[in-house]
Amino acid sequence: AEGQMRAGTVPPRNRWALMKHVSSALVLDYWQDRRRNRPAPDRADIDPGEIRQALGDTFMLAADFVDQLRFRLAGTRVCALFGREIKGESFGALWSEDSRKQIDELVTVVTEEAAGAVAGLVGTAADGSVTDIEMLILPLAHTGLARIRAMGVLAPVVPPYWLGEKPVVELSLRSLRHLGEDSGRAAPRFVSGAGHIRPRHGFAF
């Protein structure tokens, strides 16, 4: 019935309040719905057609190697942000040297602890132009030889006038909020410089 929520979920209006970009809110709501009472949904539970409004801003990461995640799928607007098709590229290679260790730690938390996160990023073009970007990253259940590990959103908060003319060449992590077990409660984690993330215990398809 309308207005009824599954146990353990947070009303959509509260989850939307955590996000700056509409695609992030849509994908988080969909992921929450598909996981039901599990820590994370399976890849097979995700139907791209059901998030078509956000699809251009969406990506999936796969463990092609034990210690490295690569883009298995990347939406058209994600690719446009970097000025190229990024399917198959290393996720870690997009980041600044100062942010790379933090991102490695973040991915470990997301994939091993089945906890999502939303982050504020700065995307920098070759000429120094910058744009604020929101990143949502959410775990997907994986067993045995399953390679898809996470899905998420990469989208400029306000698309810059130069988008499509100047590709982003580097991402830097500026702020981070880990989503709680209900994936609607966000614990603030702000990142600056070379500090480290310290987890608090407790798509072109």
Side-chain angles (χ1 to χ4, degrees):
E2 185 177 357
Q4 289 184 338
M5 301 291 294
R6 289 190 178 89
T9 65
V10 173
R13 64 181 181 274
N14 291 343
R15 293 200 292 276
W16 275 62
L18 302 176
M19 308 299 159
K20 294 181 178 180
H21 198 280
V22 63
S23 291
S24 300
L26 288 171
V27 170
L28 178 58
D29 274 345
Y30 179 70
W31 179 90
Q32 177 73 46
D33 179 71
R34 300 307 295 164
R35 81 183 182 113
R36 300 180 177 89
N37 294 319
R38 301 168 294 174
D42 293 322
R43 167 62 183 93
D45 295 322
I46 305 300
D47 178 359
E50 294 183 353
I51 51 172
R52 60 177 59 89
Q53 290 176 289
L55 207 54
D57 299 310
T58 305
F59 63 86
M60 281 191 176
L61 300 178
D64 291 329
F65 301 95
V66 173
D67 61 347
Q68 189 176 71
L69 290 181
R70 293 181 179 269
F71 287 96
R72 173 59 60 86
L73 299 166
T76 53
R77 290 190 292 272
V78 176
C79 292
L81 187 63
F82 300 99
R84 65 186 187 277
E85 170 62 69
I86 61 172
K87 180 180 178 179
E89 291 191 18
S90 167
F91 181 65
L94 298 178
W95 300 85
S96 67
E97 184 176 351
D98 286 346
S99 297
R100 200 162 295 155
K101 180 174 174 57
Q102 299 166 340
I103 290 302
D104 287 344
E105 293 173 353
L106 170 61
V107 167
T108 297
V109 170
V110 169
T111 58
E112 293 187 2
E113 298 185 13
V118 59
L121 316 178
V122 173
T124 304
D127 67 354
S129 299
V130 297
T131 183
D132 290 329
I133 296 172
E134 182 166 78
M135 180 180 72
L136 173 71
I137 185 166
L138 301 166
L140 294 174
H142 53 88
T143 56
L145 299 177
R147 297 157 74 89
I148 303 292
R149 301 299 176 91
M151 67 179 296
V153 168
L154 267 176
V157 176
V158 178
Y161 71 90
W162 46 264
L163 185 63
E165 298 179 5
K166 296 184 288 188
V168 168
V169 297
E170 186 176 78
L171 297 175
S172 299
L173 183 62
R174 288 294 176 264
S175 66
L176 176 67
R177 290 173 292 173
H178 282 281
L179 302 174
E181 289 182 1
D182 60 10
S183 292
R185 184 185 71 251
R189 311 276 178 91
F190 294 101
V191 182
S192 61
H196 300 307
I197 298 168
R198 293 184 174 85
R200 195 180 295 174
H201 292 290
F203 295 114
F205 288 90

